[in-house]
Each structure stands twice: as C-alpha cells, then as structure tokens.
Amino acid sequence: MSMLSDLLLRLRAIVFRRAEDRELEEELRVHVEMEEEYRRRSGVSHAEAHRQAVMALGGVERVKEDVRDARRTRAFFDGAGDVRFAFRTLRRNPVFAAVAVLTLAIGIGGATAVFSAVDTVLLAPLPYSQPGRLVRLYNTDVRAPNDHGFVTPVHFLEYRDGMSSFASVAAVMTYDAVGADIGRGDRARRIRVLPVSADYFDVLGVRPALGRAFSRDDEHGGMNETVQPSRIAVISHRLWQEELRGDPSAIGGSIVMDGASYRIAGVMPASFVDPLVPRADAWTPENLDPGRDPSNATNHYLTVIARLRPTLSIGAAQAELTALATRLGVKYPDARDTRARLDPLKDDMVAPTATALEIMLGAVALVLLIVCVNIATLMLVRGSQRQREFAVRTALGGQRARIVRQMLVESIVIALVGDVAGLAVARAGMAAIVRLGDGNIPRLSSLALDPRLLMFSIALSTLCALIFGAAPAVRAARTRPGDVLRGEGRGASSGRGQVRLRGALVAAQVALAFVLAVGAGLLLSSFAQLRRVDLGFRSADVLTFEAHLPGSRYDSTARAAFYDDLAAAIEREPGVRAAGGTSRLPATGSYNSWGTRPLSGPLVNTKIDHSSLEQRVISGDYFAALGVPRLAGRLFEAGDDAHAPPRVVISKSAAQLLFPGVDPIGQQLRTGGITWTVIGVVADVALDIEGHVEPTLYHAHRQFAGDRNWALTQVVSTMGNVDAVAASSRRVVSGIDPLLVMYHPAPLDDVLGRGNATRTFTLRLLLAFAGVAIALALLGLYGVLAYAVRLRAREFGIRMALGASPSAIRSMVLRQGLIVTSSGLAAGVIGAAALSRVMTSLLFHVKPMEPAVLVVTALVMWGVGVLAAYVPARQATAADPRNVLS
Amino acid sequence: MSDDRVELLQGTLEMLVLKTLALDPMHGWGIAHRIQWMSRDVFLVTQGSLYPALVRMRRRGWLKTSWRVTENGRRARYYELTPAGRRTLTTQHTAWERASAAIDHIMGVRLWVSEGA
C-alpha cells in the first residue's frame, strides 16, 4: 500500500507538470481524501478507508490521460510537455544523455565536416567559366611521357602562337619564393604575387570586377626585371580592402610592393580564388621574352594552363600538341626529346589529394555507422532499463501509445541536441581540416559549411534516433507489465536475447573501429619508415628562414653580396656550425631543371638519358650547413664569383650520369646556355621525402651577380639551440639591412614534415577518427557487459553461493568481452583488407596488409576489450550473494 | 451494492452534471456523490468519466470553475453553471423528456403475441 502511494507520488512528480496538470492532480487528490473521509465516517477503519478510496480512484494515469484527451489540447502542447519531460529524464541520466549526444555530435559533425571538405575539394566544379575546358600543360620527355615537368618559356610561346586547339593559354611563375613586401612599419607583411602571362584571366574566364586585366603589351615589364618602364598589377579583392579600404578610385592609382610602385590595373572579384596559389593577392605581368636567354628551350620553370576551344576534345588537343612538340624538337635541338601532355585542370589540382580524401570519406562513413550502432545499443539498453517504469505506467492505466510517443520524443530531443552539438563539431572540424591541410590541399581554403549537407545530416541523425529509439520503445511498451514487475521470469530471458543482439552490435563496432585503426596504423608505420629514410643530409637542429630582397633596392649583384655577408655574419654568431643558402631546400621536391649536355668525357655530344637535371643555386657554406660530404675536388670558394669562369659542383649520381668511368673533376658541361667546368663532387641528397635521388648540379650564387636574380632560402646548422639562433639570425638580418624582415623561421625537420602534407593530413584525420571509433567501441562494449552483469546478478549469486570463486565469475565476464571483441576483430580483418588496398598509394615501404600492423592493432583492440570488460567483471563479484538471493 | 448499478447512457452524464449543478456550485467529488445519491446508488460516477466530462463541458462554455474552501477546510475546485450551461440544461431536459416518454411508451405497449409465447 505504502509502495503504491509512493509510486503514485513518484508518478505524480514525473507525470504532472503543467499548471493545469497540477490543478487536476490537486483536484483528484482532494477527491480521494473526501472519499476516504466519507468512508471513515461510515465506520470503516482508517487504513481500510484509505485502501477503498485508492481503489475507487481507478487508474490515475488513465483519468489524467482521458482528461487530456477531453481537453483535446493540440498535439503541440502535449509535445511540448513531452519535450520538457524528455529533457528532465535526460538530466536525470546525464551519462546516457552525454554519451548519446556526444556520439551523435561526433557522427554528424565529423560527417558534415569531411563531406564538406570532399565536396569542396573533389566534387565541386572549379569556380571558373566552363571549367571542363580548362587543362594544365606539362613538358615531358619522349622516354617518360608521364612526367609532369615545368614548361620552358620557349615552348610556352610556341604553344601560344601555334596551338589552334587552345582558345587561350597562360604561363604562371608558381615558385614558392615569389612574393612581395607591402605596408610599412607595424603593418609590413608579405603577400603572394604571381607573375603571369597576359592571357591568364582569359584562360580562367574571370574578368576583374574593376579596371582591366593584362594585355600582351604589359608583358614587357614584370617582377623579375631590374629596370622596368612601367610596373602594373592586378590585385585581389582582399588586398584592395585591406590596403586601399576598397576605394574604387584606386584603379589607376598605385600600390607599393617590395618598395616599388605598381600601377593598379584591376581588382579581381571578391569570389575569385587563384586555382594555382589559393592565397595569391596580386598578379603582375611576366616577361617571357626568350631573346634574352638562349637557354630558354631547356629551362623548365613555368606552370602552364590553357582553355580548350569549345567542342574540342582533350584528345584532339593532345594530338595537335604532340605534333607541335615534335616539330619544336627539330627547331630547338637542345629540346629534341621534349614533349608535352594535357591533363584536365581539376584532376590535376585534386589528384594528389583525391586518395586521401576518399579514405577520409570511407573513414567517416565507418564512424557514422559506428555512431548508428552505438545509438541503437544505447537506446536498447535504455529501453530495458525503463521497462519497469513502463510496466508500472501500463499497470496504472497509462496508454502504451503515449509511452511509445514519449520515447520517440526523447529520441528526437537527443537527436536535436546532438544536431546542435554536431554543428559545433562540424565547425570545429572544418576549421581543423583547413588548418591541417591549408596551403597544401588545393581549394580547401574555400571550405564552408554547406546548408544542404547540414540539413542532410540532421535529417539522417533524427531518422537514426527515431528508428533506433522507436524499436526499443515499442518493444518495451509491449512487454507484459506483470513479468517485469515480478522482476524475474520472462523479462530476464528476453533480456538475454537483447544482450546477444547488443553483443552482435558491439562486435560490429569493434570491427569498424579495427578497420580504421589498421588504416591509421599503416600510415603511422609508413611515417616511421619515412623517418628512417636516409635523406643524405642532416636535418636535425637546422634552422631555415627566408629573407626577401626587394627588387627595387637589390639588383643581382647586391643580392650576391647580401647572401654572402649574411652567411658569414651568422656563422660568427655563437651556437652556429655553418650557414648558407639554397634556391630550394633538399627533399622538398623538384624545383627547376635545365637541359644539360656533357662537353667532354665519354658521352661528349651524346644525348643523356635525362633530358634535364635538377639545378640548385647555393651560397655560403651550404654543404657544411647540411652535412653533405664532399667526395672529390673542391667546393665553392670566395673567388668563384662573376669574374671567374663558370664552375659547377655536381652530385655523385650526376657525375655517374654525365661522366661515367672518368674523373669528373675538370670535365665540362653545358646547361642554362653557359659552359661550366666541374670543380667538385658531393654526395647525393634526396629530392623528396621518400628518399628518391635526382642527379643535381650546384651553382654558386655569386657567379650570377649582374645576370640573374635568385631568391635563396637560408639554412643554419646549429649546436641544438635552434630558437636562440633564430633570434640572433633575426638581429643579423636587420643589422645588415634594417628594412628587411626574416620570414618563416622554422626547424628544417618541420619544413620537411610539411613537404609530406597529404600523408600527414590523412594520418592526423585518420588517427583522430580511429581514436573516436575505438572510444565508441569501448563505450559500447562496456555498456553491454555492464548490463549483462546486472541481468545475471542472480545467476552469479547462485554460482558463488554454490562455491564458484570470484575470479571464476570475473573470467566468465572477461571471456564474454573477449569473445565479442575477437569476433569483431575477425570481421574487421576483411574490412581492413579492403581499406588497405585503397590506401596503397599513400603507403611507404609498408605492405597493405602488414602483419605487424595487424597484430599490434589487434592487440590494442584486445587490450581495450579487456579494459572495457574489467569493470563489469568486478561488479559481477562485488555483490554479496546473500543480498542477491534474498 | 454494485450489482444494482447501471451504466449511464451515452451523453446523459453531462445532463446529470448540469442538473446537479443547477442549484449550487459543487466540487467534483460532490457531483459524483450527489448523482450516486440522487440515483439511489443506481448510477456510480467514476472519476474516469466525470473529470473528462467536466473538462469537455468547460470547453463548451457550460461550466465555469473557481477554487474555494470546503466546509471541511480543503481547497477544492468548484464547478458552476454558466448561462449557456443553463440553456443547455433546459434544452437537454426537454429533449430527454420527449425521448424518455417515447421510450416509455414503446416499452409500455402490451403485445399479445409475446404474452402467448
């Protein structure tokens, strides 16, 4: 009796919530009291009167609901009540609520962020007019048609004049170092400036929003010219806003870059993003006059893009290009093996990233699956937990339909809260993706939250919560109240069936998490392999930085003096071993290559297999700074300047290639239109992070004094105090020229990590996803085992009463956990095999199904499984058998 | 005593409530007991049917409510007729009398066929 009134009180607390409900409740309570009093007056005992009154009351729940029906409140108000009730119930179960919301947030947020990234980078068409007609043009070698070489100015000009397939074609200088200082004092900063040929914006089909684009006449003046009759620039909308406050009269006005004044020809639309250098802020006309440099037919440094004529296939254009390139091989004997190929611009931009993003897409689909499974498991557990509450409500006359509806509302509330949290996760996730991939993943900087994707994921999650919330609700509502209220019997056995179902769901989670973890493990092991690659130089404790010399104040002679002075001055600083500069850091990819021909030795006048060799221009003690050993001859000395005959240091593989079987010292070769004498041989260094070696020629920077401007990246080998040397180097730079700024000081190891951006990007995201997946699987496993232990408490009690040791009980539970984990792992191996095949292109010195990775990942998962099973296993033996049995 | 009870005809509960309230405002328990008492324990009005009916009648504007203190010092919700409620009572009463007279008539006719059976 007291239990019943207690239940009534509790039900009242749960159920009556609106003012009207409270009034009705009060009314009913008074009714019961009056009834009780009435019966007492007729001579019934106090207790009996109470009993009769409560009996006469009938189902309070039923009355309440009938009243509500009579009130015929609109469903909305009932819904609002359900929503409030759902919130309150969830507040009372914060762990369940938090896990469910977190799970959904991760699923929705992660999926939306990654789908948005994939959509932005891979799927969306290029934001230019008729993007399907845009192609990128590469120079190749007749022997290596799949090369992706830069284009020489000579070839570019011939293509521009000779290709009828092209509506327009443009060349761009995409060197990393191309940039300019703008602003003064505190507002001084460096922007990216792209020297482009006149037709660049025509190729893209984008007109400036203000002013005009370039004309062919503008090409006779550009960044690389020391003396220019007129400098003009097209600037980005952002730069226009930042530097000129968006003043329309800025057109025809000027902007100072690198200390030189440029007339502003036009301002690009705000929406324009450069396809090659997304953060480019200004474009200047590039001087492509081939007459000044006879070596231009072998000097590959231009990025070329073109727009095909309408209705012309890329194959037809390729055929015309091949025919033209063959004719050019006759016209320029130096370049007789040079051919060219066309790739769709979009494929070209996304190809290096496509695999990574596709893997991310797969990973996020897996996580989404895990999230759904997890939500289903949670809802099942919750449904079982609340069976008793539902049974009581049903017994008291509560309508089952209402109970189901309330469960649904609860699911929807969870889904909506999860959606909101997911939106936050999506925003954070996209910011992280942009940060992780920025500058390296093309188009990523334009990543924005797509409302359609957001709607989709919200719909998906709500549907997921509805389906997985409704099933247990229907099931719980259908349970016979008597069974549940008696606490044992059929209720428990159907519970076991649910445990088996949940076990299968958790095994599925383990399998999915395993697949992700294997993927992450394979990439991690690729990374470890990469770290072990001998790059041929010392990268630890090396500082790198840039100091950009404005063309307005530095001609090539002043540059040569500056770089020499800088290296010498830094070497005088404490903690510095050696300092030098290079036109391109080693192991960061190919940079520029000139056609090269030996003028002496056994291969004189013989065509070399390689149409080109990598060329580097260096200053100071470059080889010493990177610990590249000298193998023969000598390195550059102070006397190897513009007045001395051209001298070259070559790499070991270059020596073997150009002068096989003879002493390379003193041999002569021709490259870049100049005849050079070999003075020394150094060891090979890696061209890229994977350790590939390319024959390389090294030139002394000061030999170009008065001829060509080279921008050199500085390298400083330190005794371990990179930060301190960075600070002292900064002082040295401003000591030599107070107007100069030191850019991008960074340890060389970090810079090389960037050189491998796609793999790093994928690895970080995959690791994050794998971590999330494992955590979700752990939660799921724990939840199922904990619940199973509660269901079997009586059985465990009996077993222990009959003499089973606690450790035997514990190992029973642990075994259950391991069976679930193991069956998940077994299924996961199949998935992992599929994933790793996709990943092959990202792997380095690692087999797709590397046994070590599989074993280690499986062990980690088993460890997680034991961990998740341990707590419930302890709980299984914690209860006193007497209590359980009584 | 419950053996003698009769299910209320559909729709008559509202009329009985209106009639019960015609003299004085009354709370829910009072209405239920008044009907039971006036019907000499033939009709037992349960809360399950009474309160939904009260809500329906309020919604139709036949009743208004107020919280008052009973003679025993309890706060209870009192129901009282509105003018619309009184009009409805009159209408329903008239209709009931006609219907019940008709039913009485039908039920009161002696049929010789059935007597012979």
Side-chain angles (χ1 to χ4, degrees), chain A residues 118-199:
Chain A
V118 171
D119 183 57
T120 306
V121 176
L122 288 189
L123 308 178
L126 298 180
Y128 312 111
S129 147
Q130 293 186 302
R133 314 215 63 79
L134 292 175
V135 292
R136 178 158 178 189
L137 192 154
Y138 290 102
N139 270 169
T140 64
D141 189 88
V142 75
R143 292 159 190 271
N146 287 323
D147 263 8
H148 289 82
F150 290 109
V151 177
T152 75
V154 166
H155 285 93
F156 166 70
L157 292 170
E158 294 280 0
Y159 300 143
R160 186 158 85 175
D161 295 339
M163 285 288 293
S164 63
S165 300
F166 293 156
S168 49
V169 56
V172 189
M173 291 267 293
T174 51
Y175 284 176
D176 293 352
V178 178
D181 299 330
I182 60 162
R184 279 174 190 284
D186 291 345
R187 299 194 57 221
R189 63 197 175 103
R190 190 159 186 84
I191 58 168
R192 295 296 300 271
V193 180
L194 286 191
V196 298
S197 67
D199 302 337

Side-chain angles (χ1 to χ4, degrees), chain A residues 672-730:
Chain A
I674 300 172
T675 300
W676 307 79
T677 303
V678 177
I679 60 166
V681 177
V682 293
D684 282 319
V685 299
L687 180 74
D688 57 30
I689 200 74
E690 297 189 355
H692 297 121
V693 165
E694 196 82 2
T696 307
L697 308 185
Y698 296 94
H699 309 280
H701 178 262
R702 54 183 163 268
Q703 291 216 296
F704 293 102
D707 178 22
R708 270 176 253 186
N709 296 328
W710 290 97
L712 303 190
T713 301
Q714 303 301 306
V715 286
V716 183
S717 148
T718 76
M719 296 171 185
N721 45 352
V722 174
D723 288 344
V725 170
S728 58
S729 299
R730 192 185 294 276

Side-chain angles (χ1 to χ4, degrees), chain A residues 633-698:
Chain A
R634 67 172 178 88
L635 302 179
F636 294 119
E637 292 164 358
D640 300 321
D641 56 18
H643 306 296
R647 290 161 184 162
V648 65
V649 171
I650 63 177
S651 71
K652 183 181 160 193
S653 56
Q656 287 163 348
L657 179 72
L658 298 167
F659 308 105
V662 297
D663 180 6
I665 308 299
Q667 306 286 349
Q668 292 199 308
L669 59 86
R670 187 166 177 83
T671 189
I674 300 172
T675 300
W676 307 79
T677 303
V678 177
I679 60 166
V681 177
V682 293
D684 282 319
V685 299
L687 180 74
D688 57 30
I689 200 74
E690 297 189 355
H692 297 121
V693 165
E694 196 82 2
T696 307
L697 308 185
Y698 296 94

Side-chain angles (χ1 to χ4, degrees), chain A residues 27 31 33 35 37 57, chain B residues 29 47 51 74 77 79:
Chain A
E27 195 169 6
H31 191 117
E33 282 174 11
E35 184 71 23
E37 202 176 299
L57 171 77
Chain B
W29 183 83
Q47 294 183 88
Y51 286 101
R74 285 195 183 85
R77 173 147 48 191
Y79 295 84

